[in-house]
Amino acid sequence: MMYFGVIGYPIKHSVSPAMHNAAMKKARIDGIYLAFEVKPEMLRDAVFGAKALGFTGLNVTIPFKEEVAKLVKLEGHAAKLKAVNTIDLRKMVGYNTDVYGVKASFSDVDVDGKVALVIGAGGAGKAATLALIELGATVVLTNRTESRGVEAVEMLRRYGNCIFHPYDRVGELKGKIDILVNATPIGMKGFTQKLPVPPEILQPDMVVFDTVYNPPETPLIREAKKAGCKVIYGVEMLIHQGAKAFEIWTDVKPDVSVMREAAINALKNSFIPKA
Ligand SMILES: NC(=O)c1ccc[n+]([C@@H]2O[C@H](COP(=O)([O-])OP(=O)(O)OC[C@H]3O[C@@H](n4cnc5c(N)ncnc54)[C@H](OP(=O)(O)O)[C@@H]3O)[C@@H](O)[C@H]2O)c1
């Protein structure tokens, strides 16, 4: 039997166990994936403890992606971002499959040469920015806390075209962007603020990707559809980052449609209407 898990704090509503257990069942892999809430001061013990217990791999979520990067060797995108969301405990190597998840979410969009506005300079914003610059976009990154946004741009512009724009002047970008990515929690269930940008910014034919996946149909996605934009749901990134982690651990490409169905069911009562 293979053992897997996701560690975070808090971790209550993770849909990763549903997604991975469904994929293992479909692939006939004898394994189990569980969610573990780990107190920050126990992080190191949790990672090395899982290794000692014979776990094959762990996913890592808020707030541990950067701390865990100090405990393992870093591969590819994890090395570029100094952030890890997937550990192969057999080799103690850390990966960042969030970047892959964003790229896969844009698989039917021609990103090359486009201008993308990414809102948020946390883990999701940095992963989205790296994915889009690797796909050939120029990324304008904005962030509520300017210093954090500028710091992210300084790191990311080594890998492609990336500039900072102040969050309170985002309205000035109307008509100048092709792609918009929300990488803040705005729009999440229970969040009072509904939209991360003034709605006027949404223009027909723009591509709008909301990394928020609970609810799947966020206020931004609804506004974007009304404005005639193409929309990409956050659940796509979630599924594809999970699929890549699954492949790293098992050498098997999982059935992505099975993972999608499991994730959507786990997000309860939620459904994804056709774009
Ligand atoms: N689909 C997926 O697979 C996936 C994966 C990871 C994350 N996500 C989504 O992405 C969101 C961000 O995750 P993260 O890991 O990047 O979190 P994080 O590292 O904590 O970063 C949060 C970001 O959101 C900004 N922010 C928070 N509250 C805000 C507000 N009220 N107004 C404007 N900006 C605000 C923060 O700005 P400051 O720097 O000013 O605090 C920061 O840039 C999550 O809520 C989640 O919904 C989705």
Side-chain angles (χ1 to χ4, degrees), residues 115-177:
V115 177
L117 172 64
V118 174
I119 311 148
K126 284 190 267 199
T129 300
L130 182 57
L132 291 168
I133 58 185
E134 285 190 355
L135 291 172
T138 293
V139 174
V140 181
L141 186 116
T142 189
N143 195 53
R144 177 181 63 179
T145 307
E146 182 155 332
S147 57
R148 203 171 170 212
V150 169
E151 199 181 308
V153 166
E154 265 161 26
M155 175 178 86
L156 288 156
R157 70 175 179 209
R158 276 181 250 159
Y159 309 114
N161 295 329
C162 185
I163 56 171
F164 180 79
H165 189 89
Y167 187 54
D168 56 359
R169 288 177 23 213
V170 102
E172 293 168 6
L173 299 173
K174 182 178 168 186
K176 296 182 183 156
I177 50 175

Side-chain angles (χ1 to χ4, degrees), residues 18-266:
M19 243 173 27
H20 281 275
N21 287 321
M24 280 192 276
K25 191 169 172 205
K26 179 71 195 291
R28 296 174 183 268
I29 289 170
D30 184 19
I32 185 162
Y33 184 115
L34 298 163
F36 300 97
E37 186 165 282
V38 173
K39 294 208 169 83
E41 65 274 19
M42 298 302 288
L43 177 63
R44 192 186 164 86
D45 289 351
V47 171
F48 285 93
K51 180 177 171 61
L53 290 171
F55 276 51
T56 301
L58 287 176
N59 281 134
V60 181
T61 188
I62 288 181
F64 298 137
K65 290 181 182 181
E66 290 177 0
E67 268 315 295
V68 157
K70 298 174 190 160
L71 304 178
V72 292
K73 280 173 275 176
L74 302 179
E75 258 295 317
H77 292 134
K80 286 183 175 175
L81 295 177
K82 305 266 181 295
V84 163
N85 80 326
T86 300
I87 312 174
D88 184 334
L89 290 166
R90 297 163 298 190
K91 299 183 263 172
M92 288 310 270
V93 172
Y95 301 81
N96 191 308
T97 70
D98 285 335
V99 180
Y100 173 85
V102 174
K103 284 186 171 177
S105 304
F106 278 87
S107 61
D108 62 352
V109 177
D110 182 11
V111 174
D112 195 20
K114 301 289 193 313
V115 177
L117 172 64
V118 174
I119 311 148
K126 284 190 267 199
T129 300
L130 182 57
L132 291 168
I133 58 185
E134 285 190 355
L135 291 172
T138 293
V139 174
V140 181
L141 186 116
T142 189
N143 195 53
R144 177 181 63 179
T145 307
E146 182 155 332
S147 57
R148 203 171 170 212
V150 169
E151 199 181 308
V153 166
E154 265 161 26
M155 175 178 86
L156 288 156
R157 70 175 179 209
R158 276 181 250 159
Y159 309 114
N161 295 329
C162 185
I163 56 171
F164 180 79
H165 189 89
Y167 187 54
D168 56 359
R169 288 177 23 213
V170 102
E172 293 168 6
L173 299 173
K174 182 178 168 186
K176 296 182 183 156
I177 50 175
D178 308 300
I179 296 167
L180 184 138
V181 177
N182 174 38
T184 76
I186 297 169
M188 258 172 76
K189 225 176 226 173
F191 220 83
T192 40
Q193 191 179 344
K194 296 299 173 207
L195 291 177
V197 284
E200 314 80 75
I201 239 186
L202 303 168
Q203 300 286 308
D205 302 324
M206 265 172 65
V207 178
V208 174
F209 172 42
D210 198 341
T211 67
V212 172
Y213 55 81
N214 196 6
E217 182 88 1
T218 60
L220 175 64
I221 291 280
R222 277 201 299 277
E223 284 295 323
K225 281 181 171 177
K226 264 197 253 162
C229 307
K230 175 183 168 61
V231 299
I232 304 174
Y233 295 91
V235 77
E236 288 305 310
M237 173 179 171
L238 178 72
I239 294 158
H240 288 289
Q241 63 75 28
K244 192 68 181 172
F246 188 100
E247 197 183 331
I248 288 167
W249 295 326
T250 65
D251 277 331
V252 173
K253 275 193 197 300
D255 184 331
V256 170
S257 61
V258 163
M259 294 182 89
R260 182 177 290 108
E261 193 186 336
I264 291 166
N265 284 340

